Amino acid sequence: MFRTISIRVHILINFLIVVGLISLSLLGLQYYFSQKLAISATHTNFTQTSEQVIKLFKNGDANIKNMLYFTELYPDLNVAPTDTKNMKTIDRFATSMQRLPSVYAMYIGHPNGDFFEVINMESSSTLHEHFQAPSKTRWTVIRIFDSPKGRVKKFDFLDTYLRLLSSRSEFTDYRANIRPWFVQANQSDKPIRTDPYLFSNLQQKGITYSKTIDETDAVLAIDFTLTELNSALQKLTTHPSSEVVMFGKQGDIIASSKSQLKEYTMDAVLKQALEEDKTDQILRYEQNGTEKFAMVSTLSKEMNLDTYVAVKIDADVMLNPYMEQIRYSIAMAIFFLVLTIPFILYITARIVKPMTGLMLENEKVRMRRFDEVAPVRSKIKEMVKLSDSLVSMSVSIQAYQKAQAELMDAFIKLIADAIDAKSAYTGGHCQRVPELAMILAKEADKAEEGPFKAFRFENDDAWREFETGAWLHDCGKVTTPEYVVDKATKLETIHNRIHEIRTRFEVIWRDIEVESYERRIKGEDDAEVSVWKEAMQQSLVDDFNFIAECNIGGEFMSQDKRDRVKKIAQKVWVRHFDDRAGISDAELLRYEGVPERPVPAQEQLLSDRPEHVVKRIDFDDEAYQEAGFKLDVPEHLYDYGEIYNLCIEKGTLTDEERFKIQEHVIMTIKMLERLPYPDNMKRIPEYAGTHHETMIGTGYPRQLSASDLSTPARIMVIADIFEALTASDRPYKKGKTLSEAIKIMSFMQKDEHIDRELFKLFLTSGTYMEYAKRYLKPEQIDEVDIKTYI
């Protein structure tokens, strides 16, 4: 085993050796090495500064390009400008520019020269005067288009809420399609970036980014000012004499830490270094009698524009500390030779103590106890810096984790909002269930006696884990077709097929009319024929009314009604047109193996045909079983058979459609179990995927029982059911009153569908009323005698 010694002994031994060597060689070598160290430190400093600039520039560049790509996705973006306002596009542009204050304007150029622009009036204090805009103007919208009177440039001045303050128009000969940003964008399949130039409206330098809008010849462009970039470069300077400059291949200045950018000129030495390919090397030269250190680094070679960053500083600034160290080292060598070993041990003790303290603080970081990390006191500058760095790192990690958590929470809520918005039948379900679940969980967590005495969420992470699971409990609904969720009648798919069936009834009605005329022509008694026609058509009306009534769906459809549907289905009509013409490839696939019938063909009024069946493909039964899912999987994906659908015994859903809806829980589990969770978030799939289980194993998708369900999982069951019962924003049903909902849930707890003790806590804690006051309509909140159910 490698033998270790204490740092005090180690320092003592090495100190004596080093002092002896320094005493012999310091006078001859110290100066040489100090020069090397200064240059090396300068190179390191410049490299770090350059890397920061590169990161800063690329982040800004990426943000603008991402804004181009994101904005390009907006629908109707390339609609030509007219005299009316396109408020959706204005709102989207304004929202984007609020996120990036350095964006001066966003605009669209059209191939015919038309132009649409939204200007951020807060990007410069001179804009109001320049445009003669009202004082409250927040956004200026410019449209250039041809009108009957000539080419018009129209200005709309909008306030913060995009309300029109005033407008004015003038004639212009401006055409967007000849501008460099438009021409260059149409010559490239990627975003282009112009050289920096002076924005005439702002009297500031900036860059224009532009690209063609996908599948169009229109060009989307963004004007980006360099003001914030100049400020950012100023922050990177470490000394009044230091400078950071971004420039192009020809020496044109893009941004600089100098405040007066327009008066700045590039050093000839830096230009020469660029020409001689001396990048990433320390340059040492004299300028105006002052020796300088400088370095040029490549910043970017994207989009046909070479960009470089130069960092320079007075050489004395970097050399003086090392020259001082030379003088200091000579004196200290003599001093240390005189000191005694006990004093050296005393010195080392002062080093070891803060190091030990730093080790303890570092352990707090390792244990993620960031709030407890505190600075370590020391007289040693490096120790203080290291301590400050450790504290700063803890704060940064904490801030980063918070930002990541906020991003994750926002994304989760975005998914929930999307699911709620997908169908009017889901309403605000995904938002309200977490609210109710958290209310009930807090009541269980603070219980000091009874069945929940031992239940506690250990820390904030555990609370967040539960809340996240609640927000994501229905994320699998993104895979559920909207027309299945919204199926209001038995024959409904993407449309209600009762209209198609009614047309067949109309055809048979007309066939009866035609036959009546034919029989009269043949000489049959007119009165008898009229009686026959009236009876046949009345029977047809009765049959259609019956089919239409069956289509609505109800609580139960008797066998007699199903038999009548099948009997009515036997009526026939004659088809004279090809039933495979004008249909999609997907529909044609369902006709495989079905012989084509020549026309005219006699068809049943209602039928279950092979082409009504959509087969289930690529289903992995083994993986399904291994995942523990126990829902019976129908043989087919869908069955659109008319008789089959009309004979649904209860409601409007077939077995296939009901499985498709229930499958959302399976998809929720699959989606969430694929994610790489940290240890404090691993139970999210459990909390999200168990809200349709029961205490006796009759739920789905895994038929879990009470022993398999944690308290948070049981809370989710109650929250999901109560929200669904009381929701008043679903068009297919009226939200139940408090008393009705709780009465239903009391039956469910008796049948062990929900946890009995949690149901009692739900009532006794007043959770139901707290939720009701927030989300139920006043007419739903009636009196509930909870003693009846406890």
Side-chain angles (χ1 to χ4, degrees), residues 606-621:
L606 305 169
S607 60
D608 291 339
R609 302 176 63 87
E611 59 267 26
H612 285 149
V613 174
V614 180
K615 297 179 180 178
R616 187 181 299 278
I617 56 176
D618 299 329
F619 178 72
D620 190 341
D621 184 65

PDB file of all heavy atoms in Angstrom, residues 606-621:
ATOM      1  N   LEU A 606     -77.591  -1.654 -44.026  1.00  0.00           N
ATOM      2  CA  LEU A 606     -76.535  -1.556 -43.016  1.00  0.00           C
ATOM      3  C   LEU A 606     -75.690  -2.814 -43.106  1.00  0.00           C
ATOM      4  O   LEU A 606     -76.215  -3.894 -43.403  1.00  0.00           O
ATOM      5  CB  LEU A 606     -77.113  -1.447 -41.602  1.00  0.00           C
ATOM      6  CG  LEU A 606     -78.110  -0.322 -41.340  1.00  0.00           C
ATOM      7  CD1 LEU A 606     -78.775  -0.516 -39.978  1.00  0.00           C
ATOM      8  CD2 LEU A 606     -77.396   1.018 -41.387  1.00  0.00           C
ATOM      9  N   SER A 607     -74.379  -2.701 -42.844  1.00  0.00           N
ATOM     10  CA  SER A 607     -73.544  -3.889 -42.981  1.00  0.00           C
ATOM     11  C   SER A 607     -72.300  -3.789 -42.122  1.00  0.00           C
ATOM     12  O   SER A 607     -71.882  -2.709 -41.727  1.00  0.00           O
ATOM     13  CB  SER A 607     -73.149  -4.093 -44.443  1.00  0.00           C
ATOM     14  OG  SER A 607     -72.420  -2.970 -44.918  1.00  0.00           O
ATOM     15  N   ASP A 608     -71.743  -4.961 -41.828  1.00  0.00           N
ATOM     16  CA  ASP A 608     -70.409  -5.076 -41.241  1.00  0.00           C
ATOM     17  C   ASP A 608     -69.533  -5.713 -42.308  1.00  0.00           C
ATOM     18  O   ASP A 608     -69.613  -6.919 -42.552  1.00  0.00           O
ATOM     19  CB  ASP A 608     -70.426  -5.956 -39.977  1.00  0.00           C
ATOM     20  CG  ASP A 608     -71.151  -5.287 -38.822  1.00  0.00           C
ATOM     21  OD1 ASP A 608     -71.279  -4.058 -38.844  1.00  0.00           O
ATOM     22  OD2 ASP A 608     -71.590  -6.007 -37.902  1.00  0.00           O
ATOM     23  N   ARG A 609     -68.707  -4.921 -42.941  1.00  0.00           N
ATOM     24  CA  ARG A 609     -67.923  -5.396 -44.084  1.00  0.00           C
ATOM     25  C   ARG A 609     -66.461  -5.587 -43.689  1.00  0.00           C
ATOM     26  O   ARG A 609     -65.971  -4.971 -42.737  1.00  0.00           O
ATOM     27  CB  ARG A 609     -68.030  -4.400 -45.236  1.00  0.00           C
ATOM     28  CG  ARG A 609     -69.478  -4.166 -45.689  1.00  0.00           C
ATOM     29  CD  ARG A 609     -69.553  -3.104 -46.760  1.00  0.00           C
ATOM     30  NE  ARG A 609     -68.845  -3.492 -47.953  1.00  0.00           N
ATOM     31  CZ  ARG A 609     -69.371  -4.213 -48.947  1.00  0.00           C
ATOM     32  NH1 ARG A 609     -70.639  -4.597 -48.876  1.00  0.00           N
ATOM     33  NH2 ARG A 609     -68.672  -4.542 -50.004  1.00  0.00           N
ATOM     34  N   PRO A 610     -65.746  -6.435 -44.406  1.00  0.00           N
ATOM     35  CA  PRO A 610     -64.320  -6.647 -44.092  1.00  0.00           C
ATOM     36  C   PRO A 610     -63.530  -5.342 -44.095  1.00  0.00           C
ATOM     37  O   PRO A 610     -62.623  -5.164 -43.289  1.00  0.00           O
ATOM     38  CB  PRO A 610     -63.851  -7.586 -45.205  1.00  0.00           C
ATOM     39  CG  PRO A 610     -65.080  -8.299 -45.652  1.00  0.00           C
ATOM     40  CD  PRO A 610     -66.201  -7.322 -45.514  1.00  0.00           C
ATOM     41  N   GLU A 611     -63.884  -4.433 -45.006  1.00  0.00           N
ATOM     42  CA  GLU A 611     -63.116  -3.200 -45.092  1.00  0.00           C
ATOM     43  C   GLU A 611     -63.408  -2.247 -43.931  1.00  0.00           C
ATOM     44  O   GLU A 611     -62.745  -1.201 -43.784  1.00  0.00           O
ATOM     45  CB  GLU A 611     -63.370  -2.479 -46.417  1.00  0.00           C
ATOM     46  CG  GLU A 611     -64.822  -2.099 -46.674  1.00  0.00           C
ATOM     47  CD  GLU A 611     -65.561  -3.168 -47.471  1.00  0.00           C
ATOM     48  OE1 GLU A 611     -65.145  -4.347 -47.401  1.00  0.00           O
ATOM     49  OE2 GLU A 611     -66.538  -2.839 -48.152  1.00  0.00           O
ATOM     50  N   HIS A 612     -64.405  -2.574 -43.109  1.00  0.00           N
ATOM     51  CA  HIS A 612     -64.668  -1.775 -41.918  1.00  0.00           C
ATOM     52  C   HIS A 612     -63.652  -2.055 -40.816  1.00  0.00           C
ATOM     53  O   HIS A 612     -63.555  -1.280 -39.852  1.00  0.00           O
ATOM     54  CB  HIS A 612     -66.068  -2.060 -41.367  1.00  0.00           C
ATOM     55  CG  HIS A 612     -67.159  -1.442 -42.180  1.00  0.00           C
ATOM     56  ND1 HIS A 612     -68.414  -2.004 -42.298  1.00  0.00           N
ATOM     57  CD2 HIS A 612     -67.195  -0.325 -42.941  1.00  0.00           C
ATOM     58  CE1 HIS A 612     -69.173  -1.249 -43.081  1.00  0.00           C
ATOM     59  NE2 HIS A 612     -68.442  -0.214 -43.476  1.00  0.00           N
ATOM     60  N   VAL A 613     -62.906  -3.141 -40.936  1.00  0.00           N
ATOM     61  CA  VAL A 613     -61.980  -3.567 -39.886  1.00  0.00           C
ATOM     62  C   VAL A 613     -60.585  -2.994 -40.148  1.00  0.00           C
ATOM     63  O   VAL A 613     -60.041  -3.136 -41.237  1.00  0.00           O
ATOM     64  CB  VAL A 613     -61.901  -5.110 -39.809  1.00  0.00           C
ATOM     65  CG1 VAL A 613     -60.829  -5.531 -38.804  1.00  0.00           C
ATOM     66  CG2 VAL A 613     -63.255  -5.677 -39.405  1.00  0.00           C
ATOM     67  N   VAL A 614     -60.027  -2.325 -39.131  1.00  0.00           N
ATOM     68  CA  VAL A 614     -58.636  -1.851 -39.189  1.00  0.00           C
ATOM     69  C   VAL A 614     -57.810  -2.801 -38.328  1.00  0.00           C
ATOM     70  O   VAL A 614     -58.024  -2.901 -37.115  1.00  0.00           O
ATOM     71  CB  VAL A 614     -58.511  -0.404 -38.661  1.00  0.00           C
ATOM     72  CG1 VAL A 614     -57.055   0.064 -38.742  1.00  0.00           C
ATOM     73  CG2 VAL A 614     -59.420   0.527 -39.443  1.00  0.00           C
ATOM     74  N   LYS A 615     -56.870  -3.500 -38.957  1.00  0.00           N
ATOM     75  CA  LYS A 615     -56.113  -4.525 -38.242  1.00  0.00           C
ATOM     76  C   LYS A 615     -55.103  -3.912 -37.277  1.00  0.00           C
ATOM     77  O   LYS A 615     -54.584  -2.832 -37.505  1.00  0.00           O
ATOM     78  CB  LYS A 615     -55.393  -5.431 -39.247  1.00  0.00           C
ATOM     79  CG  LYS A 615     -56.350  -6.207 -40.159  1.00  0.00           C
ATOM     80  CD  LYS A 615     -55.578  -7.073 -41.141  1.00  0.00           C
ATOM     81  CE  LYS A 615     -56.528  -7.851 -42.041  1.00  0.00           C
ATOM     82  NZ  LYS A 615     -55.793  -8.666 -43.038  1.00  0.00           N
ATOM     83  N   ARG A 616     -54.845  -4.624 -36.202  1.00  0.00           N
ATOM     84  CA  ARG A 616     -53.805  -4.224 -35.245  1.00  0.00           C
ATOM     85  C   ARG A 616     -52.478  -4.831 -35.698  1.00  0.00           C
ATOM     86  O   ARG A 616     -52.355  -6.052 -35.827  1.00  0.00           O
ATOM     87  CB  ARG A 616     -54.158  -4.714 -33.834  1.00  0.00           C
ATOM     88  CG  ARG A 616     -53.216  -4.204 -32.755  1.00  0.00           C
ATOM     89  CD  ARG A 616     -53.635  -4.760 -31.391  1.00  0.00           C
ATOM     90  NE  ARG A 616     -54.974  -4.326 -31.039  1.00  0.00           N
ATOM     91  CZ  ARG A 616     -55.257  -3.156 -30.507  1.00  0.00           C
ATOM     92  NH1 ARG A 616     -54.284  -2.302 -30.265  1.00  0.00           N
ATOM     93  NH2 ARG A 616     -56.500  -2.843 -30.202  1.00  0.00           N
ATOM     94  N   ILE A 617     -51.506  -4.017 -35.963  1.00  0.00           N
ATOM     95  CA  ILE A 617     -50.224  -4.517 -36.460  1.00  0.00           C
ATOM     96  C   ILE A 617     -49.104  -4.091 -35.509  1.00  0.00           C
ATOM     97  O   ILE A 617     -49.251  -3.160 -34.724  1.00  0.00           O
ATOM     98  CB  ILE A 617     -49.922  -4.000 -37.891  1.00  0.00           C
ATOM     99  CG1 ILE A 617     -49.953  -2.471 -37.917  1.00  0.00           C
ATOM    100  CG2 ILE A 617     -50.917  -4.564 -38.878  1.00  0.00           C
ATOM    101  CD1 ILE A 617     -49.581  -1.877 -39.254  1.00  0.00           C
ATOM    102  N   ASP A 618     -47.996  -4.805 -35.585  1.00  0.00           N
ATOM    103  CA  ASP A 618     -46.790  -4.495 -34.801  1.00  0.00           C
ATOM    104  C   ASP A 618     -47.066  -4.483 -33.299  1.00  0.00           C
ATOM    105  O   ASP A 618     -46.464  -3.706 -32.550  1.00  0.00           O
ATOM    106  CB  ASP A 618     -46.205  -3.139 -35.221  1.00  0.00           C
ATOM    107  CG  ASP A 618     -45.784  -3.120 -36.676  1.00  0.00           C
ATOM    108  OD1 ASP A 618     -45.395  -4.191 -37.170  1.00  0.00           O
ATOM    109  OD2 ASP A 618     -45.838  -2.055 -37.291  1.00  0.00           O
ATOM    110  N   PHE A 619     -47.983  -5.312 -32.840  1.00  0.00           N
ATOM    111  CA  PHE A 619     -48.253  -5.391 -31.407  1.00  0.00           C
ATOM    112  C   PHE A 619     -47.384  -6.486 -30.798  1.00  0.00           C
ATOM    113  O   PHE A 619     -47.426  -7.641 -31.229  1.00  0.00           O
ATOM    114  CB  PHE A 619     -49.728  -5.684 -31.136  1.00  0.00           C
ATOM    115  CG  PHE A 619     -50.060  -5.836 -29.670  1.00  0.00           C
ATOM    116  CD1 PHE A 619     -50.075  -4.730 -28.844  1.00  0.00           C
ATOM    117  CD2 PHE A 619     -50.330  -7.088 -29.125  1.00  0.00           C
ATOM    118  CE1 PHE A 619     -50.369  -4.857 -27.488  1.00  0.00           C
ATOM    119  CE2 PHE A 619     -50.630  -7.219 -27.787  1.00  0.00           C
ATOM    120  CZ  PHE A 619     -50.649  -6.105 -26.969  1.00  0.00           C
ATOM    121  N   ASP A 620     -46.561  -6.140 -29.803  1.00  0.00           N
ATOM    122  CA  ASP A 620     -45.646  -7.075 -29.148  1.00  0.00           C
ATOM    123  C   ASP A 620     -46.305  -7.590 -27.873  1.00  0.00           C
ATOM    124  O   ASP A 620     -46.229  -6.969 -26.819  1.00  0.00           O
ATOM    125  CB  ASP A 620     -44.322  -6.377 -28.838  1.00  0.00           C
ATOM    126  CG  ASP A 620     -43.245  -7.356 -28.368  1.00  0.00           C
ATOM    127  OD1 ASP A 620     -43.602  -8.468 -27.949  1.00  0.00           O
ATOM    128  OD2 ASP A 620     -42.051  -6.995 -28.419  1.00  0.00           O
ATOM    129  N   ASP A 621     -46.964  -8.731 -27.986  1.00  0.00           N
ATOM    130  CA  ASP A 621     -47.701  -9.278 -26.840  1.00  0.00           C
ATOM    131  C   ASP A 621     -46.751  -9.653 -25.703  1.00  0.00           C
ATOM    132  O   ASP A 621     -47.072  -9.452 -24.525  1.00  0.00           O
ATOM    133  CB  ASP A 621     -48.500 -10.506 -27.277  1.00  0.00           C
ATOM    134  CG  ASP A 621     -49.357 -11.054 -26.142  1.00  0.00           C
ATOM    135  OD1 ASP A 621     -50.281 -10.342 -25.703  1.00  0.00           O
ATOM    136  OD2 ASP A 621     -49.079 -12.179 -25.685  1.00  0.00           O
TER     137      ASP A 621
END
